[in-house]
Amino acid sequence: MPSTNRIRPSCAVIAAAMLAGCGDLERAVGVPTHYVSHQMCSAVFVGGLDPDMFYREAVESVIAPAGLLMDYRIDRTKKEVTADLAGLVTSRSVFLGAEGCRVTHEGAVAAPIDNDPSMAAKHAAKPLPVDPANPALETALDREFAEPESGPHRWTKSVVILHDGHIVAERYAPGYGPEMPQIGWSMTKSVTNGLIGILVRQKKLAVEAPAPIAAWRDPKDPRHAITIDNLLRMNSGIEFGQSLYADWRSAFDPSAQMQFDMADEAAFAETAELGAAPGTRWNYTNGNTMLLARMIRDQAGGNAASGLRFAHRELFDKLGMEHVTLEFDGAGTPIGSSHMWASARDWARFGQLYLDDGVVGGERILPEGWVGYSARLTPGSEAYGYGPASGPIAARTAGRPSASGSACRPTRLWRAAPRGNTSSSYPRRDWWWCG
């Protein structure tokens, strides 16, 4: 049966919207509306989460104060979610099986549903055995799940603690479990990093070569000098907003408009003008990553189905990641900046790949030296510790891992950090987690 959430309008949001031009307003109202339909669709049909809980904890604060104008409706029969912002714009997102959820942009053609993306359902990685509980680890888990007496909320959902590739402790919040996928947000950038690394190992891409972007092909175009390394390091120099923080102003940011209001995200990103010489200015924007994601799509076969098969064949299946959903935009490009869902154990498996220098089961997945390259700090990002990768990249004391506008701290815990949480303190320890 369909379920509906209705919220009363806010004069403040209407007034703020009226200050924008018509074109800006059209895009701005699309951002929170598409955000709601997509995130709620994924939460319900990919993650199997309680919609009221997810909306309260993960959506409401992000779209405030636009949420006061928002209605959304879940149709479990059709497996879709419709959102409406005060009658200004309506968004519908549909569940496409193995490809997750997708916003149905007007004029966009949905790719065929592929419910069996893996050509060979073989998992080279061994299962992660669970060792007996340790009282000290139990105490640490208690701390991780404890809510502060006053905000901000932590809302920790899962913690998986690895030692030498074994799970030595784990815990889940009520309603969550070892097989439940959770959204990776910027941890997904690490998956993009890994897939780019695989293509580099296969000699299909070279990080120091000009980025293979048709709109920048002319040597007279100043963007022609942008390399894949620049896109990985977020120092391409393109003027394309920022993706570190999210609030109501994000609706007017080109990076957020790309992510939530564009059927072809990379096509929108490639229109960005150059604001600084490549390599001279660090600016965290998802446009960089979506251009990399399109390269993965193109090298894999040019559509969502082939891209998904490539990701499973070359990465997920080899690591034993069994509860993973990589989502795609309307052009069949993986939303490699933010939209991969995976269980906590799957995220731990992925992080272990980087701890093991890109090798699993004796097979080299990532090029030799890729982990060190990915962990090396990018000049200009000192406050965030950003390298060419983002997410659960763990590193030993030889180097600092990358982060993405979220906490990156010394510990043995693998846990997604609250979006927008940052840290500039990096004492040296053995292992790290980054969210």
Side-chain angles (χ1 to χ4, degrees), residues 70-134:
M70 191 74 68
D71 299 338
Y72 70 84
R73 179 176 181 271
I74 301 170
D75 191 324
R76 294 183 180 274
T77 301
K78 295 182 178 179
K79 294 188 176 181
E80 64 181 37
V81 174
T82 302
D84 178 85
L85 181 63
L88 295 172
V89 63
T90 299
S91 174
R92 184 171 65 95
S93 291
V94 297
F95 177 61
L96 298 174
E99 295 171 19
C101 286
R102 185 175 307 155
V103 175
T104 58
H105 290 281
E106 184 177 356
V109 178
I113 298 174
D114 185 352
N115 283 314
D116 186 20
S118 178
M119 297 300 292
K122 297 180 180 179
H123 303 289
K126 296 180 180 180
L128 296 174
V130 180
D131 289 347
N134 179 297

Short mmCIF file of all heavy atoms in Angstrom, two decimals, residues 70-134:
data_model
loop_
_atom_site.label_atom_id
_atom_site.label_comp_id
_atom_site.label_asym_id
_atom_site.label_seq_id
_atom_site.Cartn_x
_atom_site.Cartn_y
_atom_site.Cartn_z
N MET A 70 7.66 20.01 1.76
CA MET A 70 7.81 18.75 1.02
C MET A 70 6.76 17.71 1.39
O MET A 70 6.44 17.51 2.56
CB MET A 70 9.20 18.17 1.30
CG MET A 70 9.59 17.01 0.40
SD MET A 70 10.00 17.54 -1.27
CE MET A 70 11.52 18.46 -0.95
N ASP A 71 6.22 17.07 0.36
CA ASP A 71 5.41 15.87 0.52
C ASP A 71 6.13 14.72 -0.19
O ASP A 71 6.74 14.94 -1.23
CB ASP A 71 4.03 16.01 -0.13
CG ASP A 71 3.20 17.13 0.47
OD1 ASP A 71 3.48 17.51 1.62
OD2 ASP A 71 2.30 17.62 -0.22
N TYR A 72 6.07 13.52 0.38
CA TYR A 72 6.57 12.38 -0.36
C TYR A 72 5.63 11.19 -0.18
O TYR A 72 4.96 11.05 0.85
CB TYR A 72 8.00 12.00 0.03
CG TYR A 72 8.18 11.42 1.41
CD1 TYR A 72 7.98 10.06 1.64
CD2 TYR A 72 8.59 12.21 2.47
CE1 TYR A 72 8.17 9.50 2.89
CE2 TYR A 72 8.78 11.68 3.73
CZ TYR A 72 8.56 10.33 3.93
OH TYR A 72 8.74 9.79 5.18
N ARG A 73 5.59 10.34 -1.19
CA ARG A 73 4.67 9.20 -1.21
C ARG A 73 5.44 7.96 -1.65
O ARG A 73 6.13 7.98 -2.67
CB ARG A 73 3.52 9.48 -2.17
CG ARG A 73 2.50 8.36 -2.32
CD ARG A 73 1.36 8.81 -3.22
NE ARG A 73 0.33 7.79 -3.39
CZ ARG A 73 0.36 6.86 -4.33
NH1 ARG A 73 1.38 6.82 -5.19
NH2 ARG A 73 -0.60 5.97 -4.42
N ILE A 74 5.34 6.90 -0.86
CA ILE A 74 6.01 5.64 -1.16
C ILE A 74 4.98 4.65 -1.69
O ILE A 74 3.98 4.37 -1.03
CB ILE A 74 6.69 5.06 0.09
CG1 ILE A 74 7.71 6.05 0.64
CG2 ILE A 74 7.35 3.71 -0.22
CD1 ILE A 74 8.25 5.65 2.01
N ASP A 75 5.23 4.14 -2.88
CA ASP A 75 4.35 3.13 -3.46
C ASP A 75 5.13 1.81 -3.49
O ASP A 75 5.98 1.59 -4.35
CB ASP A 75 3.94 3.53 -4.89
CG ASP A 75 2.82 2.65 -5.44
OD1 ASP A 75 2.83 1.44 -5.14
OD2 ASP A 75 1.96 3.17 -6.16
N ARG A 76 4.83 0.96 -2.55
CA ARG A 76 5.58 -0.30 -2.43
C ARG A 76 5.20 -1.30 -3.52
O ARG A 76 5.99 -2.20 -3.83
CB ARG A 76 5.37 -0.90 -1.05
CG ARG A 76 5.98 -0.05 0.07
CD ARG A 76 5.82 -0.70 1.43
NE ARG A 76 6.40 0.12 2.48
CZ ARG A 76 7.69 0.09 2.86
NH1 ARG A 76 8.52 -0.74 2.26
NH2 ARG A 76 8.12 0.88 3.82
N THR A 77 4.03 -1.13 -4.09
CA THR A 77 3.62 -2.03 -5.17
C THR A 77 4.42 -1.75 -6.44
O THR A 77 4.95 -2.66 -7.08
CB THR A 77 2.12 -1.89 -5.45
OG1 THR A 77 1.38 -2.18 -4.27
CG2 THR A 77 1.69 -2.81 -6.57
N LYS A 78 4.53 -0.48 -6.80
CA LYS A 78 5.29 -0.08 -7.99
C LYS A 78 6.77 0.08 -7.70
O LYS A 78 7.57 0.29 -8.61
CB LYS A 78 4.73 1.22 -8.56
CG LYS A 78 3.31 1.11 -9.08
CD LYS A 78 2.86 2.45 -9.67
CE LYS A 78 1.46 2.35 -10.24
NZ LYS A 78 1.01 3.67 -10.80
N LYS A 79 7.14 0.04 -6.42
CA LYS A 79 8.53 0.24 -5.99
C LYS A 79 9.05 1.59 -6.48
O LYS A 79 10.04 1.67 -7.22
CB LYS A 79 9.42 -0.92 -6.45
CG LYS A 79 9.07 -2.23 -5.78
CD LYS A 79 10.07 -3.32 -6.10
CE LYS A 79 9.73 -4.60 -5.33
NZ LYS A 79 10.71 -5.68 -5.60
N GLU A 80 8.39 2.64 -6.07
CA GLU A 80 8.78 3.98 -6.44
C GLU A 80 8.40 4.96 -5.34
O GLU A 80 7.55 4.67 -4.49
CB GLU A 80 8.13 4.40 -7.76
CG GLU A 80 6.62 4.49 -7.72
CD GLU A 80 6.02 4.87 -9.06
OE1 GLU A 80 6.55 4.41 -10.09
OE2 GLU A 80 5.02 5.63 -9.06
N VAL A 81 9.07 6.11 -5.36
CA VAL A 81 8.79 7.19 -4.42
C VAL A 81 8.58 8.48 -5.20
O VAL A 81 9.37 8.80 -6.09
CB VAL A 81 9.94 7.37 -3.40
CG1 VAL A 81 9.69 8.60 -2.52
CG2 VAL A 81 10.09 6.13 -2.53
N THR A 82 7.51 9.20 -4.87
CA THR A 82 7.22 10.48 -5.49
C THR A 82 7.33 11.57 -4.44
O THR A 82 6.81 11.42 -3.33
CB THR A 82 5.81 10.50 -6.11
OG1 THR A 82 5.71 9.45 -7.06
CG2 THR A 82 5.53 11.82 -6.79
N ALA A 83 8.04 12.65 -4.76
CA ALA A 83 8.17 13.79 -3.86
C ALA A 83 7.66 15.04 -4.56
O ALA A 83 7.81 15.19 -5.77
CB ALA A 83 9.63 13.98 -3.44
N ASP A 84 7.07 15.95 -3.78
CA ASP A 84 6.52 17.18 -4.34
C ASP A 84 6.87 18.35 -3.43
O ASP A 84 6.70 18.27 -2.21
CB ASP A 84 5.00 17.07 -4.47
CG ASP A 84 4.38 18.36 -5.01
OD1 ASP A 84 4.35 18.52 -6.23
OD2 ASP A 84 3.94 19.20 -4.19
N LEU A 85 7.40 19.41 -4.01
CA LEU A 85 7.77 20.61 -3.26
C LEU A 85 6.78 21.72 -3.56
O LEU A 85 6.89 22.43 -4.57
CB LEU A 85 9.19 21.05 -3.61
CG LEU A 85 9.72 22.29 -2.87
CD1 LEU A 85 9.79 22.01 -1.36
CD2 LEU A 85 11.09 22.70 -3.38
N ALA A 86 5.75 21.84 -2.73
CA ALA A 86 4.76 22.92 -2.79
C ALA A 86 4.16 23.11 -4.17
O ALA A 86 3.80 24.22 -4.55
CB ALA A 86 5.41 24.22 -2.33
N GLY A 87 4.09 22.03 -4.95
CA GLY A 87 3.53 22.14 -6.28
C GLY A 87 4.46 22.76 -7.30
O GLY A 87 4.11 22.86 -8.48
N LEU A 88 5.67 23.15 -6.88
CA LEU A 88 6.63 23.77 -7.80
C LEU A 88 7.31 22.73 -8.68
O LEU A 88 7.58 22.98 -9.85
CB LEU A 88 7.69 24.55 -7.01
CG LEU A 88 7.20 25.77 -6.23
CD1 LEU A 88 8.32 26.32 -5.35
CD2 LEU A 88 6.70 26.86 -7.18
N VAL A 89 7.61 21.58 -8.11
CA VAL A 89 8.27 20.53 -8.87
C VAL A 89 7.94 19.18 -8.23
O VAL A 89 7.80 19.09 -7.01
CB VAL A 89 9.81 20.74 -8.91
CG1 VAL A 89 10.41 20.66 -7.54
CG2 VAL A 89 10.48 19.73 -9.84
N THR A 90 7.76 18.18 -9.06
CA THR A 90 7.50 16.82 -8.60
C THR A 90 8.61 15.91 -9.11
O THR A 90 9.07 16.05 -10.24
CB THR A 90 6.14 16.31 -9.12
OG1 THR A 90 5.11 17.15 -8.61
CG2 THR A 90 5.88 14.88 -8.67
N SER A 91 9.04 15.00 -8.27
CA SER A 91 10.11 14.07 -8.63
C SER A 91 9.65 12.65 -8.33
O SER A 91 9.03 12.38 -7.31
CB SER A 91 11.38 14.38 -7.84
OG SER A 91 12.37 13.39 -8.08
N ARG A 92 9.97 11.74 -9.25
CA ARG A 92 9.65 10.32 -9.05
C ARG A 92 10.92 9.50 -9.23
O ARG A 92 11.63 9.64 -10.23
CB ARG A 92 8.58 9.86 -10.05
CG ARG A 92 8.12 8.42 -9.85
CD ARG A 92 6.91 8.11 -10.73
NE ARG A 92 7.27 8.17 -12.15
CZ ARG A 92 7.62 7.10 -12.87
NH1 ARG A 92 7.66 5.91 -12.30
NH2 ARG A 92 7.92 7.23 -14.15
N SER A 93 11.21 8.64 -8.28
CA SER A 93 12.35 7.74 -8.36
C SER A 93 11.85 6.31 -8.32
O SER A 93 10.94 5.98 -7.54
CB SER A 93 13.33 7.97 -7.21
OG SER A 93 13.97 9.22 -7.34
N VAL A 94 12.43 5.47 -9.17
CA VAL A 94 11.97 4.09 -9.29
C VAL A 94 13.11 3.13 -8.96
O VAL A 94 14.29 3.42 -9.18
CB VAL A 94 11.43 3.79 -10.70
CG1 VAL A 94 10.21 4.65 -10.99
CG2 VAL A 94 12.52 4.02 -11.75
N PHE A 95 12.74 1.98 -8.41
CA PHE A 95 13.71 0.94 -8.07
C PHE A 95 13.95 0.08 -9.30
O PHE A 95 13.01 -0.44 -9.91
CB PHE A 95 13.16 0.10 -6.92
CG PHE A 95 14.05 -1.04 -6.53
CD1 PHE A 95 15.33 -0.82 -6.08
CD2 PHE A 95 13.59 -2.36 -6.62
CE1 PHE A 95 16.15 -1.89 -5.71
CE2 PHE A 95 14.39 -3.43 -6.26
CZ PHE A 95 15.68 -3.19 -5.80
N LEU A 96 15.24 -0.09 -9.67
CA LEU A 96 15.62 -0.82 -10.87
C LEU A 96 16.42 -2.07 -10.56
O LEU A 96 17.34 -2.44 -11.29
CB LEU A 96 16.42 0.10 -11.80
CG LEU A 96 15.69 1.34 -12.34
CD1 LEU A 96 16.64 2.22 -13.13
CD2 LEU A 96 14.52 0.91 -13.22
N GLY A 97 16.11 -2.70 -9.45
CA GLY A 97 16.79 -3.94 -9.12
C GLY A 97 18.26 -3.73 -8.79
O GLY A 97 18.61 -2.95 -7.92
N ALA A 98 19.13 -4.44 -9.50
CA ALA A 98 20.57 -4.40 -9.20
C ALA A 98 21.17 -3.02 -9.39
O ALA A 98 22.24 -2.74 -8.84
CB ALA A 98 21.30 -5.40 -10.09
N GLU A 99 20.50 -2.15 -10.14
CA GLU A 99 21.02 -0.79 -10.37
C GLU A 99 20.46 0.20 -9.36
O GLU A 99 20.68 1.41 -9.50
CB GLU A 99 20.69 -0.35 -11.79
CG GLU A 99 21.41 -1.20 -12.84
CD GLU A 99 20.93 -0.91 -14.24
OE1 GLU A 99 20.33 0.16 -14.46
OE2 GLU A 99 21.14 -1.76 -15.12
N GLY A 100 19.78 -0.27 -8.34
CA GLY A 100 19.28 0.61 -7.30
C GLY A 100 18.13 1.48 -7.76
O GLY A 100 17.31 1.06 -8.57
N CYS A 101 18.06 2.70 -7.25
CA CYS A 101 17.00 3.64 -7.60
C CYS A 101 17.52 4.73 -8.52
O CYS A 101 18.71 5.06 -8.50
CB CYS A 101 16.41 4.28 -6.34
SG CYS A 101 15.33 3.17 -5.40
N ARG A 102 16.61 5.28 -9.31
CA ARG A 102 16.99 6.34 -10.25
C ARG A 102 15.85 7.33 -10.38
O ARG A 102 14.69 6.95 -10.46
CB ARG A 102 17.33 5.75 -11.62
CG ARG A 102 17.85 6.79 -12.62
CD ARG A 102 18.29 6.10 -13.90
NE ARG A 102 19.24 5.04 -13.60
CZ ARG A 102 19.43 3.99 -14.39
NH1 ARG A 102 18.72 3.86 -15.50
NH2 ARG A 102 20.29 3.05 -14.07
N VAL A 103 16.22 8.61 -10.42
CA VAL A 103 15.23 9.66 -10.67
C VAL A 103 14.79 9.58 -12.13
O VAL A 103 15.64 9.46 -13.03
CB VAL A 103 15.81 11.04 -10.37
CG1 VAL A 103 14.82 12.15 -10.74
CG2 VAL A 103 16.19 11.16 -8.88
N THR A 104 13.49 9.65 -12.37
CA THR A 104 12.97 9.58 -13.74
C THR A 104 12.89 10.98 -14.32
O THR A 104 11.83 11.59 -14.36
CB THR A 104 11.59 8.91 -13.77
OG1 THR A 104 10.69 9.66 -12.92
CG2 THR A 104 11.66 7.48 -13.29
N HIS A 105 14.02 11.50 -14.76
CA HIS A 105 14.06 12.82 -15.37
C HIS A 105 13.29 12.81 -16.69
O HIS A 105 13.31 11.83 -17.43
CB HIS A 105 15.50 13.26 -15.64
CG HIS A 105 16.26 13.55 -14.39
ND1 HIS A 105 16.14 14.73 -13.70
CD2 HIS A 105 17.17 12.81 -13.70
CE1 HIS A 105 16.93 14.72 -12.64
NE2 HIS A 105 17.57 13.57 -12.62
N GLU A 106 12.62 13.91 -16.97
CA GLU A 106 11.84 14.02 -18.20
C GLU A 106 12.74 13.85 -19.41
O GLU A 106 13.78 14.50 -19.54
CB GLU A 106 11.14 15.38 -18.26
CG GLU A 106 10.23 15.55 -19.46
CD GLU A 106 9.49 16.88 -19.45
OE1 GLU A 106 9.65 17.63 -18.47
OE2 GLU A 106 8.78 17.17 -20.42
N GLY A 107 12.35 12.97 -20.32
CA GLY A 107 13.11 12.76 -21.55
C GLY A 107 14.22 11.74 -21.42
O GLY A 107 14.78 11.30 -22.42
N ALA A 108 14.57 11.35 -20.19
CA ALA A 108 15.64 10.37 -20.00
C ALA A 108 15.09 8.96 -20.20
O ALA A 108 13.97 8.66 -19.82
CB ALA A 108 16.25 10.50 -18.61
N VAL A 109 15.89 8.11 -20.82
CA VAL A 109 15.49 6.73 -21.08
C VAL A 109 16.12 5.83 -20.04
O VAL A 109 17.34 5.82 -19.87
CB VAL A 109 15.91 6.28 -22.49
CG1 VAL A 109 15.52 4.83 -22.72
CG2 VAL A 109 15.29 7.20 -23.55
N ALA A 110 15.30 5.10 -19.31
CA ALA A 110 15.82 4.20 -18.27
C ALA A 110 16.54 3.02 -18.90
O ALA A 110 16.07 2.46 -19.89
CB ALA A 110 14.68 3.71 -17.39
N ALA A 111 17.68 2.68 -18.34
CA ALA A 111 18.42 1.51 -18.82
C ALA A 111 17.69 0.24 -18.41
O ALA A 111 16.91 0.24 -17.46
CB ALA A 111 19.84 1.52 -18.23
N PRO A 112 17.90 -0.85 -19.13
CA PRO A 112 17.21 -2.10 -18.77
C PRO A 112 17.64 -2.58 -17.39
O PRO A 112 18.78 -2.40 -16.97
CB PRO A 112 17.68 -3.08 -19.86
CG PRO A 112 18.95 -2.50 -20.38
CD PRO A 112 18.78 -1.01 -20.30
N ILE A 113 16.70 -3.19 -16.69
CA ILE A 113 16.99 -3.70 -15.36
C ILE A 113 17.88 -4.93 -15.49
O ILE A 113 17.63 -5.82 -16.29
CB ILE A 113 15.68 -4.06 -14.63
CG1 ILE A 113 14.82 -2.79 -14.45
CG2 ILE A 113 15.95 -4.70 -13.28
CD1 ILE A 113 13.46 -3.06 -13.87
N ASP A 114 18.91 -4.98 -14.69
CA ASP A 114 19.84 -6.11 -14.70
C ASP A 114 19.90 -6.67 -13.28
O ASP A 114 20.59 -6.14 -12.43
CB ASP A 114 21.23 -5.64 -15.15
CG ASP A 114 22.22 -6.80 -15.29
OD1 ASP A 114 21.86 -7.93 -14.90
OD2 ASP A 114 23.32 -6.55 -15.76
N ASN A 115 19.15 -7.72 -13.02
CA ASN A 115 19.07 -8.26 -11.68
C ASN A 115 20.17 -9.28 -11.38
O ASN A 115 20.24 -9.81 -10.29
CB ASN A 115 17.70 -8.91 -11.44
CG ASN A 115 16.62 -7.88 -11.19
OD1 ASN A 115 16.82 -6.96 -10.40
ND2 ASN A 115 15.50 -8.01 -11.87
N ASP A 116 21.00 -9.58 -12.34
CA ASP A 116 22.08 -10.53 -12.12
C ASP A 116 23.34 -9.99 -12.78
O ASP A 116 23.78 -10.47 -13.82
CB ASP A 116 21.73 -11.90 -12.70
CG ASP A 116 22.78 -12.95 -12.34
OD1 ASP A 116 23.53 -12.71 -11.39
OD2 ASP A 116 22.84 -13.98 -13.03
N PRO A 117 23.94 -8.94 -12.16
CA PRO A 117 25.06 -8.28 -12.81
C PRO A 117 26.34 -9.10 -12.85
O PRO A 117 27.20 -8.87 -13.66
CB PRO A 117 25.26 -7.03 -11.94
CG PRO A 117 24.78 -7.45 -10.58
CD PRO A 117 23.62 -8.37 -10.85
N SER A 118 26.46 -10.05 -11.95
CA SER A 118 27.71 -10.81 -11.86
C SER A 118 27.71 -11.95 -12.88
O SER A 118 26.84 -12.81 -12.86
CB SER A 118 27.89 -11.36 -10.44
OG SER A 118 29.07 -12.12 -10.37
N MET A 119 28.70 -11.95 -13.75
CA MET A 119 28.79 -13.00 -14.76
C MET A 119 29.26 -14.33 -14.12
O MET A 119 28.93 -15.39 -14.59
CB MET A 119 29.77 -12.59 -15.85
CG MET A 119 29.34 -11.35 -16.62
SD MET A 119 27.76 -11.56 -17.47
CE MET A 119 28.23 -12.77 -18.70
N ALA A 120 30.04 -14.22 -13.07
CA ALA A 120 30.53 -15.41 -12.38
C ALA A 120 30.44 -15.16 -10.88
O ALA A 120 31.20 -14.37 -10.35
CB ALA A 120 31.97 -15.71 -12.78
N ALA A 121 29.49 -15.80 -10.24
CA ALA A 121 29.24 -15.55 -8.82
C ALA A 121 30.26 -16.29 -7.96
O ALA A 121 29.93 -17.15 -7.16
CB ALA A 121 27.83 -15.96 -8.46
N LYS A 122 31.53 -15.96 -8.16
CA LYS A 122 32.60 -16.56 -7.38
C LYS A 122 33.24 -15.48 -6.52
O LYS A 122 33.48 -14.38 -6.98
CB LYS A 122 33.65 -17.20 -8.29
CG LYS A 122 33.12 -18.36 -9.13
CD LYS A 122 34.22 -18.94 -10.00
CE LYS A 122 33.70 -20.10 -10.84
NZ LYS A 122 34.75 -20.66 -11.71
N HIS A 123 33.50 -15.82 -5.29
CA HIS A 123 34.08 -14.86 -4.37
C HIS A 123 35.45 -15.37 -3.94
O HIS A 123 35.56 -16.34 -3.19
CB HIS A 123 33.16 -14.65 -3.17
CG HIS A 123 31.80 -14.19 -3.56
ND1 HIS A 123 31.55 -12.93 -4.05
CD2 HIS A 123 30.59 -14.83 -3.58
CE1 HIS A 123 30.26 -12.80 -4.33
NE2 HIS A 123 29.67 -13.93 -4.06
N ALA A 124 36.48 -14.70 -4.42
CA ALA A 124 37.84 -15.14 -4.13
C ALA A 124 38.20 -14.94 -2.67
O ALA A 124 38.97 -15.70 -2.10
CB ALA A 124 38.83 -14.39 -5.03
N ALA A 125 37.64 -13.88 -2.06
CA ALA A 125 37.98 -13.58 -0.68
C ALA A 125 37.33 -14.59 0.26
O ALA A 125 36.21 -15.02 0.05
CB ALA A 125 37.53 -12.17 -0.32
N LYS A 126 38.05 -14.96 1.31
CA LYS A 126 37.50 -15.88 2.29
C LYS A 126 36.53 -15.14 3.20
O LYS A 126 36.62 -13.93 3.37
CB LYS A 126 38.64 -16.50 3.11
CG LYS A 126 39.59 -17.37 2.30
CD LYS A 126 40.69 -17.93 3.18
CE LYS A 126 41.63 -18.81 2.35
NZ LYS A 126 42.72 -19.37 3.19
N PRO A 127 35.59 -15.86 3.81
CA PRO A 127 34.67 -15.21 4.75
C PRO A 127 35.44 -14.56 5.89
O PRO A 127 36.56 -14.97 6.23
CB PRO A 127 33.80 -16.36 5.26
CG PRO A 127 33.92 -17.42 4.22
CD PRO A 127 35.31 -17.29 3.65
N LEU A 128 34.84 -13.55 6.49
CA LEU A 128 35.45 -12.88 7.63
C LEU A 128 34.96 -13.55 8.91
O LEU A 128 33.84 -13.31 9.35
CB LEU A 128 35.07 -11.40 7.64
CG LEU A 128 35.56 -10.56 6.46
CD1 LEU A 128 34.99 -9.16 6.53
CD2 LEU A 128 37.08 -10.50 6.44
N PRO A 129 35.77 -14.41 9.52
CA PRO A 129 35.31 -15.07 10.74
C PRO A 129 35.23 -14.10 11.91
O PRO A 129 35.98 -13.13 11.99
CB PRO A 129 36.40 -16.14 10.98
CG PRO A 129 37.62 -15.57 10.33
CD PRO A 129 37.13 -14.81 9.14
N VAL A 130 34.31 -14.38 12.80
CA VAL A 130 34.12 -13.53 13.98
C VAL A 130 34.80 -14.20 15.17
O VAL A 130 34.47 -15.33 15.53
CB VAL A 130 32.62 -13.32 14.27
CG1 VAL A 130 32.45 -12.44 15.50
CG2 VAL A 130 31.95 -12.69 13.06
N ASP A 131 35.75 -13.50 15.78
CA ASP A 131 36.44 -14.03 16.94
C ASP A 131 35.61 -13.77 18.21
O ASP A 131 34.71 -12.93 18.20
CB ASP A 131 37.82 -13.38 17.07
CG ASP A 131 38.77 -13.86 15.99
OD1 ASP A 131 38.42 -14.84 15.31
OD2 ASP A 131 39.83 -13.24 15.81
N PRO A 132 35.93 -14.46 19.30
CA PRO A 132 35.20 -14.24 20.56
C PRO A 132 35.27 -12.78 21.00
O PRO A 132 36.23 -12.07 20.70
CB PRO A 132 35.92 -15.15 21.56
CG PRO A 132 36.55 -16.21 20.71
CD PRO A 132 36.94 -15.53 19.44
N ALA A 133 34.25 -12.35 21.70
CA ALA A 133 34.18 -10.96 22.15
C ALA A 133 35.29 -10.66 23.15
O ALA A 133 35.70 -11.51 23.93
CB ALA A 133 32.81 -10.69 22.77
N ASN A 134 35.76 -9.43 23.10
CA ASN A 134 36.79 -8.95 24.01
C ASN A 134 36.18 -7.84 24.86
O ASN A 134 35.58 -6.91 24.32
CB ASN A 134 37.97 -8.43 23.19
CG ASN A 134 39.09 -7.89 24.05
OD1 ASN A 134 38.92 -6.92 24.77
ND2 ASN A 134 40.26 -8.49 23.92
#
